[in-house]
Amino acid sequence: MAKGLFPRAWVKKSFYFQARISFVRVKYLFLTWLTVLVGSWVLYVQYSAYTELCRGHECKNAICDKYRRGIIDGSACSSLCEKETLYMGRCLSTLPNNQVYTGGWGDHSGIIRCKLGEVVPYELGEEPEPRRETPVFDKPNRGTSVQKFKEMLFNHLKSKLGEHANLPSLVGQILSVADGNRDGRVSLQEARSTWALLQMDEVLLGLLLQDRGHTPRLLGYCGDLYMTEWIPNSPLYGFSLPWPLVSWVPGGLQRTMDQWFTPSWPRKAKISMGLLELVEDIFHGTYGSFLICDLAAVHFSYTDRHELRLTNTQVVVPEEEFRRTMRVLKCETDADCVYGVDCRTSCDLSEKRCREEPVQPNLAKACSVLKDYILRGVPSEMREELERQLYACMALRGNAGQMNMEHSLILNNLKALLWKRISHTKDS
């Protein structure tokens, strides 16, 4: 009897085991299919986003077409369109109309930027309309004299920066840049390229700040396509998480992780001094005051010698333009009076309009950024004094009495404290 039961039990176990194996196979087959499906969808989304964001070939074709037709010219046109020694590399674009690529030009590595026309939306099944080109390269008109072009430049700079005694010298500097082939004169085609470039505030501000070493140098241009030098260490600190992980990693943990990827403290001190010098140079500088309206680390970088560079001048705005904008801005609360990311004024509730005076100066925002950056790893003997000065700096307000004097005093004290510590090291 026992012998008869054994085969039956064995058959039951064998059947159960085979059924379990079949279930596991189906389960893994389903998971594999699901993984392939999700992976394909992600690849499709990424490819679609890439093809829409990265349109460097369109940019080059549009620029070179105008160059060959004799509409524009510039220092980079021949290399881009004829010799092809200026080339685009990896796509860094985040907006379809603002193309950004790494690039090479002979021995130089750099960043290439180019504007494209508006992308016209369309429904699925319809034929997409041609892209609407921005109407540029129509000024100055044929027959415009050099003197008239100088007047155009002067009036444009005055509208952007306000009235300043040094504007004529800035006009001369821009004319020197405009002479792309260095033949001692500015052709109509070069003038059109230069005028188109100056309509982009980031180019104008880059030219203003590059003499002081705060921004990457302009290497060349063709129309409104231009190339600036490559700054190797970006962002200022930390690293960029892949987009699927950004929403899953808490902000506090990400800030802690960012601190793992920073240079040694003396080098951080030198980089920090570069930021303080930038703030100093744009506070009542040669061409007026400027505001930095987004002091995120991603907009800054540093060279191999640990010299700070502002790599995104779009976050800088002339104070004259800021005040003009805020003057006409209607508001209900202070939260309505924001320019960019963090340039704020207060709301005049009786007038329902924003006040012109910025609430917080650049220096206070810079110190807020530097606090976590420079206090981590600071030598113990100077930590208390550095912390005290940073908090005094962060307390600065734009409308406080004697703000100019306070600003200069705090700025000089911070620079002196950092310089005293690193002046005898090889990092200085």
Side-chain angles (χ1 to χ4, degrees), residues 118-119 150 159 173 235 388 426:
E118 178 187 353
V119 180
K150 284 183 179 179
S159 71
Q173 179 186 337
R388 185 187 66 78
K426 64 179 180 180

Side-chain angles (χ1 to χ4, degrees), residues 184-217:
R185 65 185 186 89
V186 178
S187 67
L188 175 64
Q189 291 78 13
E190 289 171 334
R192 283 174 173 167
S193 290
T194 304
W195 184 257
L197 282 175
L198 291 178
Q199 305 314 301
M200 297 182 281
D201 290 346
E202 65 266 27
V203 177
L204 172 58
L205 293 167
L207 289 172
L208 291 177
L209 296 172
Q210 73 175 12
D211 285 347
R212 301 285 295 174
H214 297 308
T215 56
R217 288 181 300 110

Side-chain angles (χ1 to χ4, degrees), residues 41-59 90-101 116-117 119 122 128 131:
W41 179 80
V42 169
L43 286 174
Y44 171 76
V45 170
Q46 288 289 302
Y47 177 75
S48 300
Y50 180 86
T51 54
E52 185 56 43
L53 284 176
C54 301
R55 300 184 283 130
H57 61 287
E58 291 182 34
C59 204
R90 183 163 56 95
C91 176
L92 305 175
S93 306
T94 56
L95 294 171
N97 294 350
N98 188 20
Q99 295 296 291
V100 184
Y101 280 78
L116 272 178
V119 180
Y122 63 95
R131 300 188 190 277

Side-chain angles (χ1 to χ4, degrees), residues 11 25 214-215 227 238 311 352:
V11 168
R25 283 177 178 170
H214 297 308
T215 56
M227 181 174 179
T311 50
K352 298 290 185 182

Side-chain angles (χ1 to χ4, degrees), residues 37-255:
L37 180 66
V38 172
S40 301
W41 179 80
V42 169
L43 286 174
Y44 171 76
V45 170
Q46 288 289 302
Y47 177 75
S48 300
Y50 180 86
T51 54
E52 185 56 43
L53 284 176
C54 301
R55 300 184 283 130
H57 61 287
E58 291 182 34
C59 204
K60 178 183 176 181
N61 291 342
I63 289 291
C64 290
D65 176 63
K66 290 178 175 63
Y67 168 65
R68 294 186 184 104
R69 286 159 52 196
I71 298 173
I72 59 172
D73 200 355
S75 56
C77 287
S78 176
S79 298
L80 177 71
C81 304
E82 294 176 346
K83 301 174 185 175
E84 296 193 350
T85 54
L86 191 158
Y87 60 89
M88 296 182 182
R90 183 163 56 95
C91 176
L92 305 175
S93 306
T94 56
L95 294 171
N97 294 350
N98 188 20
Q99 295 296 291
V100 184
Y101 280 78
T102 62
W105 188 10
D107 296 332
H108 297 288
S109 296
I111 298 294
I112 299 172
R113 289 181 168 84
C114 176
K115 297 288 184 182
L116 272 178
E118 178 187 353
V119 180
V120 182
Y122 63 95
E123 297 295 329
L124 289 175
E126 294 181 0
E127 283 293 319
E129 296 180 29
R131 300 188 190 277
R132 298 173 187 159
E133 291 194 19
T134 309
V136 294
F137 312 131
D138 55 350
K139 291 182 181 180
N141 300 322
R142 189 172 296 278
T144 302
S145 65
V146 174
Q147 186 57 39
K148 180 63 177 175
F149 184 52
K150 284 183 179 179
E151 291 175 14
M152 288 174 62
L153 290 175
F154 182 87
N155 291 330
H156 178 70
L157 296 173
K158 183 179 175 182
S159 71
K160 290 290 183 182
L161 306 174
E163 186 76 64
H164 297 287
N166 294 300
L167 286 185
S169 66
L170 181 57
V171 170
Q173 179 186 337
I174 289 171
L175 286 173
S176 175
V177 172
D179 182 14
N181 57 6
R182 296 290 181 264
D183 63 353
R185 65 185 186 89
V186 178
S187 67
L188 175 64
Q189 291 78 13
E190 289 171 334
R192 283 174 173 167
S193 290
T194 304
W195 184 257
L197 282 175
L198 291 178
Q199 305 314 301
M200 297 182 281
D201 290 346
E202 65 266 27
V203 177
L204 172 58
L205 293 167
L207 289 172
L208 291 177
L209 296 172
Q210 73 175 12
D211 285 347
R212 301 285 295 174
H214 297 308
T215 56
R217 288 181 300 110
L218 178 68
L219 298 178
Y221 67 94
C222 183
D224 59 356
L225 177 149
Y226 65 99
M227 181 174 179
T228 55
E229 69 176 325
W230 168 258
I231 306 299
N233 303 291
S234 180
L236 180 61
Y237 64 89
F239 64 101
S240 301
L241 286 172
W243 67 267
L245 300 178
V246 171
S247 57
W248 294 95
V249 178
L253 175 60
Q254 188 167 343
R255 285 191 293 272

